[in-house]
Amino acid sequence: MIRKYLRAFRAYKKRTRLYKSISNGLEILQATGKTPEQAYHDMRELFVFTAGKSNDVISTKLSQSKYNNIDPLNGVLNLKTKQNFDKALEGIRQDGYFVFDTKLSEDAVNRIVEYAKTTPCKYRKIAENSTGTDYKIDVVNVEEIFDENQIKSPVYQFGMDKIIACKEIQKLVFDTSLLAFAQEYLNTKPIVDLLAMWWSVPYAGKGKSEAAQMYHFDLDRLKFIKFFFYLTDVDGETGPHCYVRGSQKKLHPTLQRDGRFTDEEVEAAFGKENLMELGGKKGTIMAVDTRGLHKGKDLTKDKRLIFQIEFANSMFGQTYPPFKKLDFDAEDEATYSKYEFTYSQIMSK
Ligand SMILES: O=C(O)CCC(=O)C(=O)O
Ligand SMILES: [Fe+2]
C-alpha cells in the first residue's frame, strides 16, 4: 500500500518537474526565439511518461485564434466540398493519416523531379558496421547531384534552402488548402516549420535506423502535421510510407520509450491489420500525423522521391536552421504577407 502511494507520489513529482521545465522553456522561446535544449528533452521525456497526453494538454493551452479568411476548398488538395474536407479531417483524426483523392498534376511532378535531378543534395553516410538498428547519423556535408548509378547511402536529402528555391515547391508552400487543413487539424494558426525532400534507394537493408526505415514517432514539436507528396510511383518494393493505424492517439504500453522499434514488436502491439503500407502513384498526396508510429519501408528496387511540408502549432522543440526568404511570385508574396505568422520561419532577406 505504502509502496503504491510512494510510486504515485514520485510520478507526480516527475510530471510536475517536467511540466515546469517545458513551461519555462516556452517562456524562453517567446523571449529569445529558441527552445532550451533541456526543455525540449523534457518534452520528449514527459510525452513518453504520459503516453502522449502531455503534448495534448500543452497544445490545448497554446491554441490561439484561427484565420477565418482561408478558402479550404481551393488549392492543391482539390477537396471541392465541405463534406470532403470534413471526411479527410475525420480520417486523419481517427487513423493518423489520410490519402487524398486528388493528385499533384503531372506537370508539377515532372518539374519537381527535374529540379531534384539537377540540384545537389547531401547524403547520409552510414557506418560500415551499421546493423540497421543502431542510430548514427552522419550527414555528409558535401552536396552533389544524386547519381543512381553510384549509390553511397540509402537516402539523399535536399537542404531547405534548395527546396524553397524550387518554383513549383513554392506553390505548395503557399497553398492555402494545405494551410486551412493544417489549421483545422492543429486547431490553431499553424507555422510552416520544415520542408524536406529526399531520394531513397535500395541499400541492402543497411542504415535503416538512420534512414527512418525503422518504426519511430517524430517528436520535434508539440503537435504537427506533415503533408507528403510522392514524386515517383511507390509500391511495396519502392519504399512505401508505412503507418500504424490509430497509433497517434497514445503510446502503446509495450512501446512506451523513445527511439526505434522493430517490425516484430510493433506488429505484436498493434496487430498486422493496422500496419498500413501507403503506396501510390506519383503525385499522391497524404496528410500524416507522424507522432504515430511510422517508417519508410526500405526499398528493394528503383528509387523514391518524396517532398514533405510540416505545419506545427508552436516552434517549441527542435531548433532547425531558419530558411531564407527569396523573391516569390506576386501571388505567393501576397499569401506570405497575409498569413505572416504561418510563414514566420521563412525569414526576411
Ligand atoms: O520515408 C518515410 O516514408 C518516412 C519518413 C519519416 O520518418 C518522416 O518523414 O518523419
Ligand atoms: Fe519520421
Side-chain angles (χ1 to χ4, degrees):
M1 193 66 163
I2 298 233
R3 217 174 263 174
K4 196 174 139 208
Y5 279 117
L6 255 178
R7 207 173 327 123
F9 181 63
R10 280 203 204 101
Y12 164 79
K13 282 210 1 194
K14 179 169 171 174
R15 273 199 308 273
T16 311
R17 171 175 63 80
L18 294 171
Y19 268 118
K20 207 163 166 190
S21 162
I22 297 164
S23 156
N24 286 340
L26 279 161
E27 275 173 33
I28 293 171
L29 170 68
Q30 186 125 49
T32 66
K34 205 168 171 288
T35 310
E37 190 80 359
Q38 186 60 47
Y40 164 56
H41 287 293
D42 289 345
M43 181 264 276
R44 295 190 77 109
E45 190 176 344
L46 188 58
F47 179 89
V48 171
F49 195 59
T50 62
K53 197 160 179 228
S54 51
N55 278 34
D56 298 332
V57 170
I58 300 166
S59 293
T60 306
K61 286 193 185 143
L62 288 181
S63 270
Q64 9 175 334
S65 64
K66 298 191 219 167
Y67 302 115
N68 55 16
N69 59 353
I70 318 172
D71 176 6
L73 307 181
N74 216 334
V76 71
L77 294 182
N78 194 22
L79 287 162
K80 293 198 180 86
T81 64
K82 174 86 169 60
Q83 282 97 307
N84 289 340
F85 184 89
D86 290 344
K87 188 180 124 215
L89 199 58
E90 188 52 26
I92 183 173
R93 282 193 181 134
Q94 280 306 319
D95 298 337
Y97 69 91
F98 185 81
V99 183
F100 295 95
D101 288 339
T102 195
K103 289 201 171 35
L104 190 59
S105 79
E106 202 166 331
D107 271 358
V109 169
N110 290 342
R111 279 195 283 266
I112 301 175
V113 172
E114 192 48 37
Y115 183 83
K117 282 186 173 165
T118 51
T119 303
C121 48
K122 298 174 189 175
Y123 61 92
R124 289 180 165 191
K125 199 171 168 197
I126 307 302
E128 268 311 308
N129 58 357
S130 168
T131 56
T133 53
D134 52 354
Y135 192 42
K136 283 180 240 137
I137 298 182
D138 189 5
V139 179
V140 173
N141 259 332
V142 183
E143 294 198 309
E144 50 186 51
I145 306 270
F146 168 66
D147 176 1
E148 60 184 299
N149 297 314
Q150 268 208 33
I151 293 306
K152 300 172 184 169
S153 166
V155 278
Y156 289 72
Q157 47 196 179
F158 293 88
M160 285 218 237
D161 53 336
K162 293 281 190 306
I163 301 173
I164 188 91
C166 172
K167 281 269 165 236
E168 204 58 51
I169 286 182
Q170 288 169 15
K171 285 190 205 154
L172 299 176
V173 172
F174 294 110
D175 183 278
T176 50
S177 65
L178 300 180
L179 170 57
F181 194 79
Q183 161 162 282
E184 270 333 287
Y185 186 66
L186 301 174
N187 200 27
T188 190
K189 280 181 187 158
I191 307 168
V192 172
D193 72 314
L194 179 72
L195 304 178
M197 182 162 75
W198 69 97
W199 294 102
S200 310
V201 288
Y203 205 62
K206 281 206 301 185
K208 277 166 58 171
S209 176
E210 294 87 338
Q213 291 171 343
M214 285 187 71
Y215 281 110
H216 63 280
F217 49 79
D218 296 341
L219 204 50
D220 283 0
R221 305 268 171 251
L222 288 159
K223 195 168 166 67
F224 45 88
I225 179 173
K226 286 182 173 182
F227 294 96
F228 289 120
F229 296 81
Y230 283 157
L231 300 162
T232 48
D233 290 342
V234 177
D235 64 19
E237 288 189 279
T238 47
H241 182 70
C242 301
Y243 194 87
V244 183
R245 186 165 53 196
S247 61
Q248 82 288 1
K249 289 180 179 163
K250 72 188 202 18
L251 277 185
H252 194 278
T254 62
L255 306 175
Q256 217 170 326
R257 61 171 204 268
D258 206 345
R260 299 311 209 217
F261 304 95
T262 64
D263 292 358
E264 292 72 28
E265 53 187 339
V266 172
E267 188 178 323
F270 285 92
K272 216 181 176 75
E273 67 282 9
N274 288 309
L275 309 190
M276 313 307 288
E277 272 192 13
L278 307 175
K281 293 281 176 205
K282 60 185 174 195
T284 295
I285 310 174
M286 27 198 200
V288 190
D289 183 342
T290 54
R291 117 179 198 169
L293 291 168
H294 66 284
K295 66 169 187 174
K297 187 173 175 190
D298 55 320
L299 288 78
T300 50
K301 63 167 203 200
D302 219 350
K303 57 185 182 289
R304 184 191 78 175
L305 180 68
I306 194 169
F307 165 68
Q308 158 188 119
I309 175 167
E310 175 174 292
F311 292 79
N313 68 337
S314 154
M315 286 306 290
F316 182 89
Q318 185 69 278
T319 307
Y320 304 144
F323 24 123
K324 254 212 210 106
K325 183 179 178 305
L326 307 168
D327 288 326
F328 303 122
D329 289 350
E331 207 183 322
D332 292 343
E333 284 287 345
T335 309
Y336 176 84
S337 311
K338 192 166 171 187
Y339 306 109
E340 209 175 34
F341 179 79
T342 291
Y343 302 110
S344 57
Q345 291 306 295
I346 302 174
M347 296 286 164
S348 304
K349 275 179 268 196

